Every structure is written in C-alpha cells, then in structure tokens.
Amino acid sequence: MSDTEKAKPVNFIRAIAEQDLAEGRVAKIVTRFPPEPNGYLHIGHAKSICVNFGIAEEMGGECNLRFDDTNPTKEEQEYIDAIKEDVQWLGFEWAGEVRYASNYFDTFYEWALHLIKAGKAYVCHLSPEQAKEYRGWATEPGKPSPYRERSVEENLALFEKMRSGDCDEGECVLRANIDMASPNMNLRDPILYRIRKQTHHQTGDKWCIYPSYDFAHGQEDAIEGVTHSICTLEFADHRPLYEWLIDSLPVPSKPRQYEFGRLNINYTVTSKRKLKQLVDEGVVNGWNDPRMPTISGMRRRGYSATAIRNFCDSLAVAKTDGVVDMAQLEFFIRDDLNKSAPRAMAVLKPLKVVITNYPEDKVELLTTPMHPELDMGKRTLPFTREIYIDQADFKEEYSKKFKKKLTPGKRIRLRNAYVIEADSYDKNEAGEVIQINASLIADTLGKNPADEINPKGVVHWVSASHGKQATIRLYDRLFTVASPDKGEEDFLAHVNANSLTVIEGCWIEPDLANAANEQCFQFEREGYFVADRYEHTAAKPVFNMTIGLRDTWSND
C-alpha cells in the first residue's frame, strides 16, 4: 500500500463496498453520478464525483453518468454539455453511453400503472395549498386526501387523461398510497407524477406528465444494476420511500442507498438556486466566472483537476455534514501550482526605468530556468535600455522599512539580470513619479558588485520595447463573511465589492503572449496566474489570477 493510500481519510462507503464484494453480495460494484441538468456543477459535486467514480475505479467496477432530467422547466442542453465536460476534465470516464432518466419514461409509466392496479397509487385533485394542509406537520399526522379511495378503474382512467394532455397543469397529480400518519413526511402519500406541458430537451413533446425525482431515482438505479446508490445526507429521510418503491415494483435489481455528508466550504455558497441568482442578477459574469465555486469557474481560474481531486480525496466520507475552510482547498491549489507552474515576470503597475549607461539599440537575450527546482527548460528575457518595474518597488526616500526597494542612491537587483542604481526620477504635473533614471552596475550578471556595495532586494521587470501589454484580472473571495447564506439576511448583502479588479496595460514577458489558453504560471512576486480559457490571444493577452503566493485571509 502506498503512502497516499495509507493517508486516505475514512470512507465508510468504500468499506461497505469492499465487504459486499468479499462476501459475495454483489459480483461487481456499480455506482452512478446522477446530476439534474439545471445548472453547472460546483465543488460539492466534485466530491460526489470523486466518491462515486473513485470507489468504482478502485474496485474494478463501473460508474454511470446519468442525468435525472425529470423537470423540463429548469433543464437545458447547455447544462448537460457542461456537466459532461466537467466530469471528463476531472479525469473520469463513465461506463457506456451517457444515460438519462428520460430513457426510462416508458418503463416508469408502466410501473405507475402497476402501482395503481395494486392500489398503491391514486390520482389526487387537491390543490397545492390543500395538499400542504392535508399533509400535516412533523409533530402532527396528516389526513387522507378525499380522492384516496378512488377505484382502480377510475384512477387508471384519470391517469390516462393526465398522460393524453386532457388535464391542465396543476389540476391533479399521481400520488403514492402509503401512510398519511407516518412520522417520515416523505411517506405521506408523496407525488409520483406531475403535469408539465413543456417540451423536453431529450423526448420533445412525447410526454406532458413527468415523474418526480423520488419516483425516478431508485428505479433508474434498479434498471442500471447500480449496487451502491450514494447520496448526500439530505436524502437520508427519502431512503424509506426509495426502498418502498423498490419493494413495490417489478424492478430487475435491488440497489441500496447510502448517504454521506455533503461538502460545504466557507466564504461561498453551493445552492444551485443561489448560484443561478448570482448569474441571473449579473453579480458574476456567467456560470464559469472564475469567482464561482463551479468546476467550470475553478478551471477558468486556473485550478487544476489534480488539485481539486487531491482536495476531495483529503476529505473524510462520513455520516455528518461539516464546513471546510477555504484555506484547505487553497493549500492544494498552491501545492500543485508550486510544482507545476513555470515562472515568469509580469509588471501589473508599470513604472519606466531608463538605464542611462546602457546602449539605446542594444538587446541582450538573457536565459533563465522556467522553474527554480524542476527541469522545465529555459526561457529568454530580452534586456534593454528601457524597462518597467512595479510602481511599488520604487520609493522617493530611503527608509529601513523600504530598504529592499529602489530609491535614489540605492541599488536593487533585477530578477535574473543586473544590479542597477537609481540616480534620479521625473514627475508629471500631478506630482506622480513617471520615470526612474538609473545606472547599470557593470559585471553583475549573476554576480555581486565588485565594490561590495550589494543590493538589498530583488525586483521583477519587463523590457519596455520587447515586452507585451496584457489585461490582468485579480480575483478575491466572492463573499466577505464565512457564512454568507446563514440566517435570515440576504446572502447578496455579503458580496465582496472588491472580488474582481481588472488591470489594463500590464507588461508581460514577450513569450507569455503565446501561452496556451489555460496554461498556468507563477508571476514572480505576484502570484499564480492562468491564460484565460476563452479570451486570451497572442494579440490581446488576458491572464486571470488563480491565487496569491500566500494566504491573506488566515487571520480573519
């Protein structure tokens, strides 16, 4: 067993699956990942993906990708395409073809008829308000619908009217006949079918009645031969209904449902409804905005699939919910990028430096490693008379606080290049420093000055004549508080107004303009950045900040 396997946290579902295989209760582990295509996947789904696909992979089994597409009013092909892409980007492959709940609509309809004929389902004409009243409360039993005692023949005829489109939306539903006094609210005659006169993205206008998620879920598992149906804890109270339906129908197999704690991270929200609200109200620029906790957004921000999987694998698969500190995810992002991201230089707030004793037409091509510790090859840095450094790296007056900055009469080393000394500076009419006039200290490429007056600090730089201009987007956490959706207050009240800063006119090493989209770099002394997945071009480079070099939130 490898050190990584030894270090894996507890996973009680894996232990159950191992025992089921060992004792012959199942011949092969079959799991499934069943998203509803009503939004993009988020970091919580990433954990579920890793659990379902991971257990199947480890035990030589299979994992199905199945869309629970039972509600055409909220589902779109865009979401289906994005979900498939996200699963594959994370490095997983599903067994066989992509599956849909809608593949089984004919079977579900026949099974609804089976329940009606067995006296276990009936058509109910209570309005939603009346049904809520009849349902009772957690501490008070419900009361039977006045339509509960309809005959089998009448229910069959009414259900056919529902199917043929002769009933209006909301006029009636098909309900299971279970127990209106059950302490489990999910067993109080739950809805099995609703009327939805909507075109479905897979079946078109074939159907105007659609099964509920609870009715479809277990039956899909049974049809597909799923052995371990893994859900998050909110479905624990649904398990008795899951099992009731499995036991009441002529299903080809009998899967078992297991629940584990969902992944919650502070400083974010993972409710699809709230994520959609962020998109619809323009708080973010779409589902793949790099500030979003969606897999697509994290990918665009420069998070790698490896880092996300390592993070998910570090979490216990337990029977309790919990909140994970964002810093834990960020640790894995930094750890991965530190090993995989080549180094480069970018000046976000440029200040021109003219090296007055360097020839105007001279271009010196300096070479330096792409990574200080790993063999990633070398990169070329054009060194010229005029360069840019960051405004923050120059101070008009020397002080011990700024001893590592460039100041008049003081020296600084240019990263991977020479030592220079500031002689003077120019200001504009507003009193802003616009140019530094400096001298190059001879024979200091890779060496300290011969006069032993050594520089106190090192700054990054870019050639003013050979560098390229770029747009750089700086990202911070989307919310200013750890629990933005806690309590009664509107979560939008906690949106971080400074979560995005767009800087135009930045200067980057010339080769960065040709970076591949989604290629990540460490911009030295600035942080980790990625060439934007959609907008970066050689003519108009665009880089997104992935994460800073260090955690700036840890003391909050």
Side-chain angles (χ1 to χ4, degrees):
M1 183 180 292
S2 69
D3 290 339
T4 301
E5 290 171 325
K6 290 177 184 176
K8 279 189 176 180
V10 62
N11 185 332
F12 76 96
I13 298 174
R14 184 189 295 117
I16 290 171
E18 287 174 346
Q19 187 173 358
D20 287 344
L21 273 178
E23 296 180 1
R25 281 190 286 274
V26 298
K28 179 174 67 174
I29 301 298
V30 180
T31 62
R32 84 289 172 269
F33 175 62
E36 183 181 355
N38 62 351
Y40 279 52
L41 300 182
H42 54 65
I43 185 64
H45 292 115
K47 179 181 178 182
S48 182
I49 290 169
C50 289
V51 170
N52 279 286
F53 282 90
I55 287 175
E57 280 186 0
E58 291 169 17
M59 299 184 185
E62 296 179 349
C63 183
N64 299 336
L65 174 61
R66 180 181 70 230
F67 290 100
D68 272 320
D69 55 343
T70 59
N71 186 359
T73 60
K74 295 182 178 181
E75 298 162 358
E76 297 180 19
Q77 186 64 40
E78 174 191 350
Y79 301 141
I80 292 173
D81 295 340
I83 289 169
K84 290 192 292 186
E85 185 175 8
D86 287 345
V87 172
Q88 289 180 317
W89 177 74
L90 282 172
F92 296 107
E93 288 295 332
W94 49 85
E97 298 294 322
V98 172
R99 296 164 168 84
Y100 298 86
S102 53
N103 291 348
Y104 316 127
F105 279 178
D106 290 297
T107 301
F108 293 162
Y109 178 75
E110 293 300 322
W111 284 348
L113 295 177
H114 178 92
L115 290 175
I116 293 172
K117 291 173 184 177
K120 294 184 175 182
Y122 62 96
V123 175
C124 181
H125 279 75
L126 288 177
S127 69
E129 295 76 18
Q130 291 171 324
K132 182 178 180 180
E133 179 185 346
Y134 272 71
R135 195 164 182 241
W137 301 91
T139 56
E140 176 186 329
K143 56 184 179 179
S145 163
Y147 307 104
R148 199 173 195 246
E149 301 304 321
R150 280 173 163 160
S151 68
V152 169
E153 290 72 23
E154 187 177 4
N155 281 316
L156 288 173
L158 287 170
F159 191 50
E160 173 57 26
K161 284 188 64 178
M162 289 173 61
R163 188 200 66 79
S164 62
D166 293 335
C167 299
D168 294 331
E169 283 195 20
E171 181 179 337
C172 53
V173 296
L174 182 70
R175 296 175 66 178
N177 188 339
I178 307 179
D179 182 4
M180 289 302 295
S182 173
N184 186 329
M185 301 290 284
N186 295 292
L187 295 179
R188 295 186 184 180
D189 292 10
I191 293 174
L192 303 180
Y193 265 90
R194 292 183 175 89
I195 300 168
R196 291 282 188 271
K197 294 187 176 181
Q198 300 277 339
T199 299
H200 191 279
H201 49 87
Q202 298 296 315
T203 60
D205 295 320
K206 178 179 179 180
W207 297 94
C208 63
I209 55 171
Y210 292 95
S212 66
Y213 175 84
D214 278 328
F215 181 59
H217 182 205
Q219 285 44 261
E220 295 161 5
D221 289 343
I223 291 169
E224 295 175 7
V226 170
T227 58
H228 297 74
S229 181
I230 305 169
C231 307
T232 44
L233 280 178
E234 64 263 34
F235 292 100
D237 289 342
H238 295 247
R239 179 157 29 106
L241 176 57
Y242 181 102
E243 293 172 347
W244 183 88
L245 286 165
I246 290 291
D247 291 338
S248 300
L249 292 168
V251 293
S253 68
K254 293 202 172 185
R256 292 289 304 276
Q257 178 177 303
Y258 302 91
E259 306 89 22
F260 70 99
R262 65 179 293 162
L263 171 57
N264 299 296
I265 301 181
N266 59 11
Y267 292 98
T268 190
V269 297
T270 52
S271 158
K272 277 189 184 177
R273 178 182 61 81
K274 291 176 179 176
L275 294 177
K276 189 173 189 299
Q277 188 176 348
L278 290 170
V279 174
D280 291 345
E281 296 188 17
V283 177
V284 296
N285 299 314
W287 287 92
N288 59 14
D289 187 299
R291 292 167 290 177
M292 289 280 274
T294 56
I295 295 174
S296 182
M298 291 187 292
R299 176 181 179 179
R300 189 174 182 186
R301 188 160 174 171
Y303 292 11
S304 72
T306 298
I308 293 172
R309 287 182 63 165
N310 287 343
F311 166 69
C312 291
D313 288 345
S314 76
L315 305 172
V317 179
K319 297 182 181 181
T320 56
D321 282 330
V323 178
V324 177
D325 196 317
M326 177 67 79
Q328 189 170 340
L329 170 60
E330 292 175 343
F331 166 81
F332 285 95
I333 304 304
R334 286 192 183 91
D335 182 65
D336 177 67
L337 288 171
N338 185 50
K339 300 170 186 174
S340 62
R343 281 26 176 182
M345 291 191 290
V347 177
L348 277 57
K349 296 181 179 179
L351 174 60
K352 181 174 282 190
V353 176
V354 178
I355 305 172
T356 56
N357 62 341
Y358 196 86
E360 289 188 26
D361 58 352
K362 183 176 180 179
V363 179
E364 193 172 353
L365 299 180
L366 309 179
T367 59
T368 189
M370 297 291 290
H371 194 285
E373 299 173 0
L374 303 176
D375 184 8
M376 293 185 177
K378 295 185 180 295
R379 69 189 202 267
T380 301
L381 305 174
F383 186 80
T384 53
R385 174 185 173 89
E386 295 186 358
I387 62 173
Y388 289 110
I389 64 170
D390 196 275
Q391 293 173 12
D393 285 329
F394 176 78
K395 297 296 177 183
E396 294 182 53
E397 296 183 5
Y398 174 81
S399 72
K400 289 184 177 180
K401 182 179 179 181
F402 301 120
K403 64 182 179 181
K404 294 186 178 182
K405 307 290 185 181
L406 184 62
T407 58
K410 298 295 181 180
R411 296 176 177 181
I412 202 80
R413 178 174 291 280
L414 301 173
R415 176 79 80 183
N416 305 308
Y418 296 96
V419 173
I420 60 171
E421 181 174 315
D423 301 318
S424 63
Y425 55 89
D426 301 329
K427 289 186 173 183
N428 60 16
E429 293 181 356
E432 300 166 327
V433 176
I434 57 172
Q435 181 173 304
I436 309 301
N437 304 304
S439 299
L440 184 145
I441 307 304
D443 197 28
T444 53
L445 185 61
K447 302 176 184 178
N448 284 326
D451 59 13
E452 298 184 353
I453 303 176
N454 296 331
K456 297 294 185 181
V458 179
V459 302
H460 57 288
W461 58 277
V462 172
S463 166
S465 57
H466 287 65
K468 303 292 184 181
Q469 285 195 295
T471 298
I472 292 182
R473 300 167 179 154
L474 305 180
Y475 292 99
D476 203 347
R477 295 183 183 177
L478 186 55
F479 295 98
T480 57
V481 297
S483 303
D485 55 355
K486 185 178 181 180
E488 300 297 325
E489 193 171 2
D490 183 0
F491 78 106
L492 294 179
H494 301 298
V495 169
N496 181 3
N498 300 313
S499 62
L500 169 62
T501 302
V502 180
I503 308 177
E504 303 286 355
C506 303
W507 286 87
I508 58 175
E509 291 180 21
D511 287 347
L512 283 176
N514 298 315
N517 295 58
E518 297 191 73
Q519 187 174 1
C520 292
F521 297 87
Q522 184 194 103
F523 287 175
E524 300 192 48
R525 304 176 68 233
E526 294 289 358
Y528 294 99
F529 292 77
V530 63
D532 187 83
R533 181 180 177 189
Y534 303 106
E535 299 178 26
H536 173 83
T537 65
K540 294 184 178 180
V542 178
F543 286 88
N544 301 326
M545 183 178 187
T546 303
I547 196 169
L549 295 174
R550 59 189 61 85
D551 181 10
T552 59
W553 287 75
S554 57
N555 295 324
D556 290 0

